[in-house]
Amino acid sequence: MTTDLWQELTTTALLGTDRRPLPAGPADVPVDRTDPATALLDLAAVATVRRRAGATADPAVPLPAPAGPDPRPEPSPDAARRLAVLLGGHGTHGGGHGTANLGELLPQWLGTARRHGYRAPAAAVPALLDAGRARTELRPDVVALTGPLGRWLAERNQEWRYVGRTVTEELAPEPDERLWQEGLFAERVSLLARLRRAAPAAALDLLASTWPTERAEDRLLFLDTLHESLSLADEPFLEAALTDRSKNVRATAAELLSTLPGSALAARMAERARAAVGTADQGRLTVRPPAECDAGMQRDGIAPKSPTGRGQRAWWFGEVLAAAPLSLWTADTGLTPDQLLRLPVTEDEPDDWREDLHEAWARAAVRQRDAAWARALLGPPPRPAGALARIAGAVGRRSGRAGDRSRSAAQATGAPARLLGVLPEAERAAWTAAFIGAQGLGEAFQLLGACATPWTPPLSTAVVEALERAASSGSYPWSHSGVLGMTERALSPETAPAVAALAAAATPNSAWADTLARLAETLRFRSAMLDELAPAAAS
């Protein structure tokens, strides 16, 4: 069946069979045309089945060669049935107060199956291709799991044409010139990002081939892909981008260069940083912020006017130090990051520059992925509240010089979340668990978002205990809706019995009882889902 037949059927249905004759229809499916209206519905039913199966070729044309072989195993029958439930379009599973929320579990099924090396059950491939068409974030997993059969079907159904343009880890990356020249913007970004991971030099060459003709907003997003596998081999391209017509492109190029300690820009920033912070007296640090933003600073990505309303000299000072290699401070002083953070700060100016200094160091730690500095800025896990106060201005840029010295924990948690992202996964989880144990869930959303999923058992236990405290404190579940949404995807499934016990202990038919019962059922569903996808279950 062709797409033209479906369009003819649609037109006939709109105009009526008395005004427009029925189309011929497929020759291999005879239809009784005694009643035109019934015949129209019969033809539409046949067309629908063929569309869903991906059969868009004319039956008169010889059948194409079958899809190529896929040596990967299918998951267990139980896992296949659960996939059918997830693809069924139902947002919940179960009934009553223990209804599981399945909205975000399909991506987890797909990602787990892909990691275990499965191929999608053949019967589920058309529905999976439809899911990928509807949800772009699923496409890499869908294309990988459906494999040769998915590509074969997509060649015969224009609605699945995204398959041919989705680059996955399983496909050998190549600099596809045609896709790069003619593809949609999202497809070009995906190609560049995938190629960048596998062949950084080829990706850079591909980007450079069209760079002068790209729109400014596209250049900016393409430039972001260079964060992957960034090296000094990219320096000449990025140095040239410092003179780009777009100030945002210039700023991004400067930020990328500042993450390369051996770059010429990092060396220039180090020279400016030494002039701005004196370390000759190891008992203290002396701050001398820049008096002007000269042409060299502007070329290196520092805006002459603060875009945040912050004082000009404070802005220049922060931008210089955030772009300077952190290694220069330990090398020049022989002190550790923790020792440097404890040094008193003296100023040639009446303002207090200690916060500005520590804020800039925090931004540099995030930008340069320096775990030692991030660890020192965060402080030890058992005392998260003290750490938050210590780096209240870190990473996030302040809106003014005065009246901004004290910050709420809600404003400050953005800084720890970014610094946490620099640390190893286990350390992130331990720090966050300690914070939740001391502070509860109220300000934990961003911190939890920085932790790898599924959460470790200690972190999951800390979250469940905090939920118990929240439920008994008289607060409402929607006060923690962000964290509760994350628990459905990230909480260790082994905590299901503990969550179910909390639900049973809550006031019957209360908001907490319903919320916890739904969470417990979702965790049980996830636990069964992951067990079914385990390699032993498929053998």
Side-chain angles (χ1 to χ4, degrees), residues 459-536:
L459 177 55
S460 295
T461 299
V463 171
V464 172
E465 291 174 349
L467 286 173
E468 181 178 16
R469 295 195 298 272
S472 62
S473 68
S475 66
Y476 293 100
W478 48 86
S479 300
H480 307 286
S481 58
V483 171
L484 285 167
M486 294 177 69
T487 60
E488 295 176 342
R489 305 185 299 272
L491 198 63
S492 174
E494 287 74 16
T495 60
V499 175
L502 292 183
T507 303
N509 299 318
S510 66
W512 272 112
D514 292 346
T515 298
L516 293 171
R518 183 170 61 251
L519 175 57
E521 180 58 29
T522 300
L523 293 174
R524 284 191 285 264
F525 187 99
R526 277 181 57 216
S527 179
M529 179 182 79
L530 296 175
D531 287 344
E532 292 160 357
L533 285 169

Side-chain angles (χ1 to χ4, degrees), residues 231-244:
S231 72
L232 287 174
D234 304 310
E235 185 178 14
F237 180 85
L238 293 172
E239 277 283 342
L242 291 176
T243 60
D244 193 89

Side-chain angles (χ1 to χ4, degrees), residues 69-74 113-114 117-120 143-148 170:
D70 191 338
R72 299 174 298 172
E74 287 193 1
R114 185 178 178 185
Y118 293 126
R119 60 182 167 92
V143 172
L145 287 168
T146 57
E170 289 77 5

Side-chain angles (χ1 to χ4, degrees), residues 231-327:
S231 72
L232 287 174
D234 304 310
E235 185 178 14
F237 180 85
L238 293 172
E239 277 283 342
L242 291 176
T243 60
D244 193 89
R245 301 185 301 276
S246 166
K247 67 177 182 180
N248 290 330
V249 171
R250 295 195 300 270
T252 300
E255 182 174 341
L256 286 167
L257 285 167
S258 71
T259 68
L260 296 171
S263 68
L265 181 140
R268 296 192 294 270
M269 289 297 190
E271 182 179 352
R272 295 174 184 128
R274 286 192 179 98
V277 180
T279 60
D281 182 356
Q282 293 191 3
R284 64 185 60 252
L285 299 171
T286 303
V287 171
R288 296 180 292 271
E292 63 174 341
C293 185
D294 58 34
M297 292 169 63
Q298 293 180 46
R299 182 185 181 277
D300 286 342
I302 300 177
K305 293 184 179 180
S306 169
T308 63
R310 191 177 182 181
Q312 301 287 59
R313 298 185 71 190
W315 164 255
W316 302 333
F317 177 79
E319 292 297 285
V320 166
L321 266 71
L326 287 166
S327 58

Side-chain angles (χ1 to χ4, degrees), residues 415-472:
R418 297 186 186 187
L419 290 167
L420 273 177
V422 179
L423 300 181
E425 291 181 1
E427 194 171 350
R428 272 182 259 165
W431 199 96
T432 304
F435 173 81
I436 291 172
Q439 301 292 324
L441 297 173
E443 310 299 341
F445 179 74
Q446 290 180 313
L447 302 179
L448 287 167
C451 295
T453 58
W455 296 330
T456 62
L459 177 55
S460 295
T461 299
V463 171
V464 172
E465 291 174 349
L467 286 173
E468 181 178 16
R469 295 195 298 272
S472 62

Side-chain angles (χ1 to χ4, degrees), residues 11 14 94 101 144-145 149 163 209 238 285 318 380 464 515 535:
T11 303
L14 290 172
N101 184 358
L145 287 168
L149 178 57
V163 172
S209 68
L238 293 172
L285 299 171
V464 172
T515 298

Side-chain angles (χ1 to χ4, degrees), residues 95-387:
H97 299 301
T99 299
N101 184 358
L102 307 184
E104 295 302 321
L105 295 186
L106 177 59
Q108 196 165 125
W109 192 102
L110 299 177
T112 304
R114 185 178 178 185
R115 285 193 299 275
H116 286 320
Y118 293 126
R119 60 182 167 92
V125 169
L128 277 172
L129 294 173
D130 277 342
R133 178 170 61 89
R135 298 176 60 177
T136 57
E137 78 277 12
L138 300 180
R139 290 179 181 179
D141 285 337
V142 166
V143 172
L145 287 168
T146 57
L149 178 57
R151 293 192 292 275
W152 189 92
L153 290 173
E155 290 170 1
R156 290 153 181 83
N157 188 333
Q158 287 299 305
E159 291 183 351
W160 299 333
R161 60 186 177 273
Y162 71 86
V163 172
R165 296 176 170 179
T166 301
V167 184
T168 68
E169 300 289 340
E170 289 77 5
L171 298 175
E174 296 179 358
D176 188 331
E177 292 285 351
R178 181 176 179 180
L179 179 58
W180 181 247
Q181 295 288 345
E182 302 176 7
L184 301 174
F185 175 71
E187 296 166 345
R188 299 177 72 210
V189 171
S190 175
L191 170 65
L192 189 64
R194 174 68 185 95
L195 188 60
R196 181 68 180 178
R197 286 192 291 272
L204 185 64
D205 290 342
L206 192 66
L207 177 58
S209 68
T210 59
W211 181 258
T213 62
E214 303 288 355
R215 300 183 305 169
E217 55 268 34
D218 293 349
R219 291 198 306 275
L220 179 62
L221 293 175
F222 287 142
L223 204 59
D224 275 338
T225 65
L226 299 189
H227 280 96
E228 184 79 38
S229 305
L230 187 67
S231 72
L232 287 174
D234 304 310
E235 185 178 14
F237 180 85
L238 293 172
E239 277 283 342
L242 291 176
T243 60
D244 193 89
R245 301 185 301 276
S246 166
K247 67 177 182 180
N248 290 330
V249 171
R250 295 195 300 270
T252 300
E255 182 174 341
L256 286 167
L257 285 167
S258 71
T259 68
L260 296 171
S263 68
L265 181 140
R268 296 192 294 270
M269 289 297 190
E271 182 179 352
R272 295 174 184 128
R274 286 192 179 98
V277 180
T279 60
D281 182 356
Q282 293 191 3
R284 64 185 60 252
L285 299 171
T286 303
V287 171
R288 296 180 292 271
E292 63 174 341
C293 185
D294 58 34
M297 292 169 63
Q298 293 180 46
R299 182 185 181 277
D300 286 342
I302 300 177
K305 293 184 179 180
S306 169
T308 63
R310 191 177 182 181
Q312 301 287 59
R313 298 185 71 190
W315 164 255
W316 302 333
F317 177 79
E319 292 297 285
V320 166
L321 266 71
L326 287 166
S327 58
L328 83 89
W329 308 112
T330 53
D332 285 0
T333 64
L335 300 176
T336 66
D338 194 62
Q339 290 170 330
L340 283 162
L341 289 168
R342 289 199 298 266
L343 288 180
V345 177
T346 60
E347 305 87 12
D348 292 344
E349 306 289 334
D351 286 331
D352 178 10
W353 292 88
R354 181 184 180 85
E355 281 192 24
D356 296 88
L357 176 62
H358 289 186
E359 175 188 348
W361 277 345
R363 290 167 53 202
V366 172
R367 186 180 296 182
Q368 298 170 34
R369 313 299 295 174
D370 192 307
W373 274 91
R375 194 173 291 116
L377 286 156
L378 282 167
R383 302 181 63 185

